[in-house]
Each structure stands twice: as C-alpha cells, then as structure tokens.
C-alpha cells in the first residue's frame, strides 16, 4: 500500500476539528494530492469493511506489518521477512474476519495505479494476497 499517498490523503481531508481542507479549484492539484478521489474511495471502502472499528483496525494491522522494518525499508527487506504473511493477515479472513477485508481490492488497486507511476515493489505479496499490493517506498 502506498502509505505516503494515504498519509497525504488524510492530511488533505483532515484540516482539524472535522473540517475539510480544500484547495482553490483554479489551482493545479499538488503532486501529493493526485488520485484524491481514488484514495477516498479506497479509504471509504476500508472503513465500511472494518465493521465497528472502521478503518482503524486495518491501519493498525498494516502499520504493525511495517514496524519491524524501520523507517526506510527496501523492497528486498520486505520480501526477505514475514511482511507478506503479516499483510495477508490484514486482508485474508481468519475465523471469518479480517481488519481490511478483501472486498476493497478493486478500490485499492485503482488507487495504486491511478497516477500511472510504476510501483517500486511491483508484485510484492501477490502470491499471498491474490492481488498486487501497490507499494512505493519513499
């Protein structure tokens, strides 16, 4: 998952005190705001799929998957450890539930490819998940 894009999306829509931070419609969108609609679609889907905990359980699960790799992991770092198994536990139901849910795969993939940028870690975790995790390490 491109966490930099998700972080930018949260910053753009979380202007504090539950207000949206909106840019002037005549200004060009900054690079970090590209794919805003696709990102919102993915986040709304993940929130809906999260049940009572909303998107919080999904974000917590995904952040735990990254925590053993430091602030600047390489694609090689992620593929050499348990990262894909940890991410799989976020999406693939165990005991009937998963924090992120597979029902949002289409929205996640669309968000990951909307900018046309090539994923740095192309195909990472695809065998475990059944879909390519859009992931750019920044």
């Amino acid at each position: 998952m491109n966490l930099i894009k998700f972080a930018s999306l949260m910053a753009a829509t979380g202007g504090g005190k539950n207000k949206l931070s909106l840019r002037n419609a005549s200004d060009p969108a900054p690079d970090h705001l590209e794919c805003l609609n696709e990102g919102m679609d993915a986040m709304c889907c993940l929130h809906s799929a999260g049940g009572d905990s909303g998107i919080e359980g999904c974000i917590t699960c995904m952040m735990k998957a990254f925590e053993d790799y430091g602030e600047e992991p390489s694609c090689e770092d992620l593929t050499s450890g348990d990262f894909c198994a940890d991410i799989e536990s976020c999406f693939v139901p165990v005991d009937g539930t998963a924090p992120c849910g597979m029902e949002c795969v289409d929205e996640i993939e669309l968000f990951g490819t909307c900018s046309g940028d090539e994923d740095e870690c192309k195909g990472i975790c695809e065998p475990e998940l059944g879909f390519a995790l859009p992931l750019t390490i920044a």
Side-chain angles (χ1 to χ4, degrees), residues 22-39:
L22 301 175
R23 64 180 179 80
N24 183 327
S26 64
D27 292 339
D31 290 342
H32 68 277
L33 290 182
E34 65 185 65
C35 306
L36 187 63
N37 290 333
E38 292 85 349

Side-chain angles (χ1 to χ4, degrees), residues 85-108:
D86 292 342
I87 286 289
E88 180 182 21
S89 73
C90 298
F91 286 92
V92 178
V94 176
D95 297 329
T97 62
C100 298
M102 292 297 282
E103 58 266 45
C104 301
V105 169
D106 291 342
E107 289 85 350
I108 292 168

Side-chain angles (χ1 to χ4, degrees), residues 52-137:
D52 292 340
S53 69
I55 197 170
E56 184 178 350
C58 180
I59 290 172
T60 300
C61 187
M62 292 189 344
M63 294 306 291
K64 282 182 182 178
F66 280 95
E67 72 185 359
D68 293 335
Y69 299 96
E71 290 186 26
E72 296 185 27
S74 68
C75 298
E76 186 176 298
D77 292 336
L78 298 178
T79 56
S80 67
D82 293 329
F83 175 74
C84 288
D86 292 342
I87 286 289
E88 180 182 21
S89 73
C90 298
F91 286 92
V92 178
V94 176
D95 297 329
T97 62
C100 298
M102 292 297 282
E103 58 266 45
C104 301
V105 169
D106 291 342
E107 289 85 350
I108 292 168
E109 286 183 326
L110 184 60
F111 177 57
T113 60
C114 69
S115 69
D117 292 339
E118 189 68 30
D119 289 331
E120 185 176 322
C121 300
K122 188 174 178 96
I124 192 167
C125 303
E126 190 167 5
E128 293 85 356
L129 296 173
F131 68 95
L133 188 67
L135 186 64
T136 302
I137 305 296

Side-chain angles (χ1 to χ4, degrees), residues 4-46:
I4 298 298
K5 282 186 184 177
F6 270 115
S8 296
L9 179 65
M10 293 306 294
T13 59
K17 299 188 180 184
N18 299 320
K19 294 180 182 175
L20 289 177
S21 298
L22 301 175
R23 64 180 179 80
N24 183 327
S26 64
D27 292 339
D31 290 342
H32 68 277
L33 290 182
E34 65 185 65
C35 306
L36 187 63
N37 290 333
E38 292 85 349
M40 287 300 294
D41 289 345
M43 292 186 74
C44 287
C45 182
L46 290 169

